[in-house]
Amino acid sequence: MASIAFTLNGKSVRVEAEPDAPLLWVIREHLSLTGTKFGCGIAQCGACTVHIEGNPTRSCVTTISSVAGKKVTTIEGLSPDSSHPLQKAWIAEQVPQCGYCQSGQIMQAAALLAKNKSPSRDEIVAHMNGNICRCGTYPRIVKAIQRAAKEA
């Protein structure tokens, strides 16, 4: 066990965990934030996407020791009251069906909009590639990102 300190959603936290424990499980089980989902466990689906230092990262294969001293943002930290333009656009465009992949999709999209305020459709599709939606709501995801870009 190791004591690992990092910033989570703007607050300093310290956890006791095995250094090679996946960040996903520390977030969910040690810190009780369940918005970040387990999908595949091999960084292929994107359901577990969080931001580390502003970069979208698959938390299922990221060790807790690798985030020591860093800033981690989960879906819960994107906005305190779900008022982020992407969260609003997701609702307006009726993106979710089962909803399971949505936090990872939104976190991936938020990283894009943080770097590119007005992405083209092709840029959106390329950036979102690798975040899987089993329900197939990809057209609505693109529309929501376009809407959030316009309204942000």
Side-chain angles (χ1 to χ4, degrees), residues 10-41:
K11 297 177 184 165
S12 295
V13 296
R14 180 175 296 278
V15 295
E16 299 290 327
E18 294 297 328
D20 63 347
L23 175 60
L24 170 65
W25 298 118
V26 172
I27 290 169
R28 289 181 61 83
E29 295 181 7
H30 292 256
L31 300 168
S32 300
L33 295 177
T34 57
T36 305
K37 304 299 185 201
F38 174 77
C40 67

Side-chain angles (χ1 to χ4, degrees), residues 56-75:
T57 306
R58 306 298 200 249
S59 63
C60 69
V61 295
T62 302
T63 63
I64 187 63
S65 62
S66 71
V67 301
K70 295 183 179 174
K71 293 179 184 175
V72 177
T73 306
T74 67
I75 189 72

